Amino acid sequence: MILNPDDTKPIYVQIAEWIETEILNGHFQSDEKVYSQYQLAEMFTINPATAAKGLNLLADEQILYKKRGLGMFVATNAKEAIVHKRRSGTLKQLIQELVLEAERLSIKESELLEMIKAARKKEGSQ
Amino acid sequence: MNVIECNGLTKAYFRKNVLNGLTFTIEENKITGLIGRNGVGKTTLVKILAGLIKETSGEVRVFEQHPFNNLYTSANTILVDDQMFFPPALQLHELLEVAQSFYPNWDMELAQRLLQYFSFDPSHYHQTLSKGRTSTFNMIIGLASRCSLTILDEPTTGMDEAVRKDFYRALMKDYLAHPRTILISSHHLNEIEDILEDVLLIKNGKTLLHESISDLKEWAIALQGASTVVQKWLVERNCIFQRQVGKDTLYAVVRDDFTKENKEEALRGGVEFIPVKASDLCVYLTNDTKGGIDDVFER
Amino acid sequence: MTFAALIPMAVIVALPLLFFIVRVKKKVTHWLLVVYIGVLLLSVVAAFFIKSDEPEITDRPRDDLYEMLYSGEIYAKGSNLLLKEDSFPIEGEKVRVTSSYGDESSSVYIERKTEDDQKMDVLAYGSFSIAKLDVAEEIVLPAVQLKDETLTIVYPEYQKLKTSIVMNEFTIEQFTGNKKYNSEFQIDGPILLVRIPPDLEIEADSTTELISIDEWK
Amino acid sequence: MSSNVSLVETVKKQYAFKMKAYIDAFSSLVGIQFIAFLFSLGGGSSSMGTSDGYHFELKFYSADLVIIFTFIWIFVTAITITTKPYRNQDFTFVTNRMSSSLSNILFLLSASLLGAFTAVLSRFLIQTVAYFLLKEDLYIASVMTSEMMIGITVSLLYVFWISSIGYFVGTLVQIHKGFALLIPVIVIGSLFYDGFMQRYAMLLILFQFYFLESSMVLFAIKTLITTAVLFFASIAILNRMEVRR
């Protein structure tokens, strides 16, 4: 992955999301050591403090846990936590935006639900 | 430990203040970006820190010593800029040898590898290098000297895109292997923000902002929506930048002190929240007027 | 200055030079300097093979030749200005003087001796110096010959005399006393004084003017 | 890690650096002495002829001109190394004003030594070329090794003394560019003024103080003290100056 400098998301968030994706893709298993802040800094040419902030973000969300002097490890139920978070966070926000846009276009709730159903159907048939 | 401490630092040239009571501290082994518009005194500041010029008033400490005319500062600080002057009689490889004799932490192997990587002819002379090549060579000296305080003043002037990328990567790799305090001055935050830990934003010879780069990205937020609604949210807030978009849409940047409830309320009112890029924020902050260039055309 | 005296000097020069060559990587500029110093040192050695005299400042009083001449006392007092003396026995009672001196006539001074010794003496007087150096010995004097009652004087060709002096530098002379040579020249003479017995008849052809100095006494 | 440095060490390094970096000063020395050497071969001659068919010519050879040219060279060199590019290149590497000045003085001393030595020695080159190439009959003033040593020492004192004058003048010009105009005006002006007042030029009296001193010890004291005072003044001035790179 290459960081997107034009992304308005802070770099540390981008780093955290990248690690999440790595875990979702199965590149890191539970209780496996993830990259250190220095490895991340080297990989992405970013400041190690920024990388550490990304790791700490995941630690705060209990996706990673710290072993003193050893580094960061993937929590047992990290995958589930990530899925849960993305559902409640990312998806929720997307839906909020969707609703807002629908209001702007004066689309009724039933109409919006129909559109979602149709989109899901199309996705499913593929 | 604080490597740099400035307290009310002032520098005047011909009674005009270039630095005007600058106060900040920089901790050991941090990479700090020194950001500001051209002519706000970045270069003056780094020259004071390197001990080349003397402050007019205020206090400045580098490694807890007064830097001006200080041998200790000189030995532990290197200032890399496009005005680094090398003797015309010496070839590039001789310059490396001279630098080696002066800097105790000099890494000759690194210097020679970099020289080779950037395909310099060691028997060439510094004066014959083009602007970009000069910057590249100066950067090699700056990296290989491994000074406890490394100051890079607009280090990438004239470098092409590929060399810039290589340069920042080399800087980061060497920093990870040999942590040291690095100060990079630039009027162009975009280019260096990834490798920074902190940003020191200077305006009118004063510290405007000294934040970590991550905080800087969340420091401000832009509101966009119908003018009347957005104006309501701007009340009692210091608007950093605003611009009329379209017929009745206002884009306004303010400090992000909104609570979650605030945001939800605003969202419902049709206000969009857009994160502000750090480099844009710096531009907004260092502008003298709220509307930027547009104000010139307002009548 | 002897050769042995120079060896310590050469060593003093050579040591820092060698040090310099070994220490510094060579470039054109270095070579220039090294070659230059090398040439200088070689010239110090070469200077020993120069055959030269030390300039000795003349102690001959720089008398005015003509003053002595016109007071008629040149024979009596001018011995230190005497450059050459020829003596010829006289057989007849008459001598003709002829000389070769370009288109002009030359002057020959005549003095009559008090005693008749049957001899004619031709004396050449002169005072020649360059920068206080006596160069009289290097002057080619007129050749004089008496044959068949004719005294022939052959003047030499136009003479050029060149003197070169190597001076000590002012930084030496400031403390070793001033040996500075001035650039004065003295070219007096040569004049020919012919001393003849009291009653010898002497006459000259158109090339020569005879001047008797007896009445000046 | 921060490293401690001593002034002496830094001066040594700066000196070594300058001996390498200012190599061009030495090639200009060779060039200038060579020109002086050529002038010396032709110069110092006078001649006189008479109608009696004699023509006398006198030629003086000495290294005087080479020494004078060396004075000019060190003066210019000393001024040059006080100029901005030279000062700035010191500060590209480790130094402070003191070590910069001290290493400059050491460099000037080395340059003076080399200049004085080659200048006095060039006398042998002049006489060798005059004898072997120009086929001159030479009278050579005797010089003993001890006198040669005196010559080199005195030349060194003179050259080093002049370097301190040059360094001081260069320093003044660094404070204010106006001195570049003022100093020649004062020098030439005083000569003209004294000439106008029909009196002995002050400047000549000043120089005679050194050039007419016949005691070696007094001469050494006079020049060394002057040199020390001028260098000290230069260091004091430069020590407060900013390096505006």
Side-chain angles (χ1 to χ4, degrees), chain B residues 25-267:
Chain B
T25 56
I26 286 179
E27 288 160 40
E28 197 176 11
N29 296 347
K30 276 197 174 187
I31 305 182
T32 306
L34 183 59
I35 309 295
R37 309 284 291 255
N38 283 334
V40 293
K42 295 188 304 257
T43 299
T44 305
L45 173 63
V46 295
K47 281 179 184 171
I48 290 175
L49 296 178
L52 298 177
I53 60 177
K54 199 178 178 179
E55 72 279 7
T56 307
S57 67
E59 208 182 336
V60 55
R61 288 278 176 276
V62 174
F63 302 113
E64 294 168 342
Q65 298 198 19
H66 184 230
F68 182 71
N69 207 4
N70 188 321
L71 208 52
Y72 182 79
T73 309
S74 183
N76 291 291
T77 306
I78 188 160
L79 170 58
V80 176
D81 59 13
D82 58 356
Q83 292 169 50
M84 271 181 125
F85 200 91
F86 292 98
L90 296 186
Q91 295 165 334
L92 296 182
H93 73 97
E94 289 176 298
L95 293 178
L96 297 186
E97 282 156 21
V98 169
Q100 180 178 32
S101 77
F102 279 109
Y103 292 106
N105 298 335
W106 179 263
D107 186 340
M108 189 50 120
E109 208 200 324
L110 175 69
Q112 274 166 351
R113 279 160 170 267
L114 286 170
L115 208 65
Q116 201 179 6
Y117 175 79
F118 290 110
S119 40
F120 281 97
D121 180 345
S123 62
H124 271 182
Y125 292 88
H126 193 265
Q127 268 60 25
T128 62
L129 299 177
S130 71
K131 196 164 175 138
R133 302 285 281 164
T134 303
S135 296
T136 310
F137 181 80
N138 294 357
M139 168 273 278
I140 293 174
I141 296 273
L143 278 188
S145 62
R146 297 244 168 88
C147 283
S148 306
L149 174 59
T150 302
I151 303 174
L152 310 164
D153 188 11
E154 304 283 356
T156 55
T157 312
M159 285 186 193
D160 63 37
E161 193 62 30
V163 177
R164 272 168 210 239
K165 283 217 166 103
D166 282 341
F167 162 59
Y168 289 120
R169 190 140 178 80
L171 179 66
M172 182 44 71
K173 283 181 100 104
D174 202 56
Y175 166 77
L176 289 170
H178 304 274
R180 50 196 188 262
T181 311
I182 298 176
L183 194 61
I184 309 179
S185 111
S186 176
H187 55 272
H188 207 71
L189 178 62
N190 232 350
E191 191 180 293
I192 55 172
E193 64 173 296
D194 289 358
I195 62 161
L196 296 183
E197 179 164 355
D198 285 350
V199 170
L200 178 65
L201 190 64
I202 293 183
K203 186 184 180 183
N204 299 334
K206 279 189 180 131
T207 307
L208 190 64
L209 206 69
H210 191 185
E211 290 279 341
S212 85
I213 186 80
S214 330
D215 291 346
L216 190 65
K217 284 210 164 185
E218 293 167 355
W219 193 83
I221 195 134
L223 283 66
Q224 186 172 300
S227 297
T228 44
V229 187
V230 172
Q231 285 292 359
K232 203 185 85 192
W233 287 101
L234 292 182
V235 172
E236 286 181 16
R237 282 200 168 82
N238 186 15
C239 177
I240 297 163
F241 175 79
Q242 60 180 32
R243 200 162 98 198
Q244 201 72 37
V245 189
K247 215 170 178 186
D248 188 35
T249 309
L250 190 64
Y251 175 88
V253 177
V254 290
R255 213 164 154 193
D256 188 2
D257 52 2
F258 294 94
T259 58
K260 211 169 175 190
E261 291 74 38
N262 282 162
K263 275 194 186 169
E264 276 167 11
E265 191 192 334
L267 273 172

Side-chain angles (χ1 to χ4, degrees), chain A residues 44-62:
Chain A
F44 298 116
T45 323
I46 54 166
N47 195 288
T50 311
K53 197 162 178 189
L55 291 170
N56 285 331
L57 188 70
L58 294 178
D60 289 346
E61 291 169 351
Q62 291 175 342

Side-chain angles (χ1 to χ4, degrees), chain A residues 1-118:
Chain A
M1 186 194 87
I2 294 293
L3 292 173
N4 181 5
D6 288 332
D7 200 324
T8 45
K9 272 182 201 159
I11 307 267
Y12 75 94
V13 176
Q14 292 188 46
I15 290 292
E17 285 178 354
W18 178 74
I19 293 171
E20 282 175 5
T21 312
E22 289 285 287
I23 294 170
L24 283 181
N25 292 344
H27 290 161
F28 288 108
Q29 303 298 331
S30 294
D31 298 316
E32 198 181 333
K33 190 176 184 291
V34 295
Y35 300 116
S36 73
Q37 65 179 101
Y38 300 105
Q39 282 171 313
L40 289 169
E42 218 258 59
M43 273 195 275
F44 298 116
T45 323
I46 54 166
N47 195 288
T50 311
K53 197 162 178 189
L55 291 170
N56 285 331
L57 188 70
L58 294 178
D60 289 346
E61 291 169 351
Q62 291 175 342
I63 292 166
L64 300 179
Y65 64 92
K66 233 179 241 175
K67 270 194 196 170
R68 198 171 287 272
L70 289 174
M72 294 284 207
F73 293 80
V74 179
T76 325
N77 47 4
K79 236 175 180 170
E80 292 72 35
I82 296 164
V83 171
H84 176 77
K85 185 182 85 169
R86 292 213 175 166
R87 225 178 239 175
S88 62
T90 323
L91 196 60
K92 202 173 165 187
Q93 196 177 344
L94 284 173
I95 289 171
Q96 202 162 30
E97 278 168 32
L98 185 73
V99 171
L100 205 68
E101 183 67 13
E103 264 170 39
R104 239 177 250 149
L105 300 173
S106 332
I107 293 171
K108 280 180 204 139
E109 195 182 314
S110 54
E111 210 175 331
L112 187 63
L113 287 171
E114 281 305 315
M115 282 168 84
I116 293 169
K117 274 179 195 162

Side-chain angles (χ1 to χ4, degrees), chain B residues 11 13 28 47 51-55 63 68-72 74-76 78-79 81 83-90 95 97-99 101-105 148, chain D residues 1-8 10 13-14 17 20-24 85-86 88-99 238-245:
Chain B
K11 175 72 190 179
Y13 285 122
E28 197 176 11
K47 281 179 184 171
L52 298 177
I53 60 177
K54 199 178 178 179
E55 72 279 7
F63 302 113
F68 182 71
N69 207 4
N70 188 321
L71 208 52
Y72 182 79
S74 183
N76 291 291
I78 188 160
L79 170 58
D81 59 13
Q83 292 169 50
M84 271 181 125
F85 200 91
F86 292 98
L90 296 186
L95 293 178
E97 282 156 21
V98 169
S101 77
F102 279 109
Y103 292 106
N105 298 335
S148 306
Chain D
M1 282 306 94
S2 306
S3 326
N4 261 312
V5 275
S6 76
L7 180 66
V8 177
T10 310
K13 286 173 186 171
Q14 281 275 339
F17 160 57
K20 272 195 258 179
Y22 299 174
I23 184 74
D24 289 344
Y86 282 80
N88 284 351
Q89 70 193 22
D90 288 11
F91 285 85
T92 296
F93 302 109
V94 178
T95 192
N96 61 8
R97 278 79 184 152
M98 182 63 93
S99 61
L238 287 175
N239 213 25
R240 291 183 305 159
M241 238 161 85
E242 296 187 331
V243 192
R244 254 175 250 177
R245 300 206 308 173

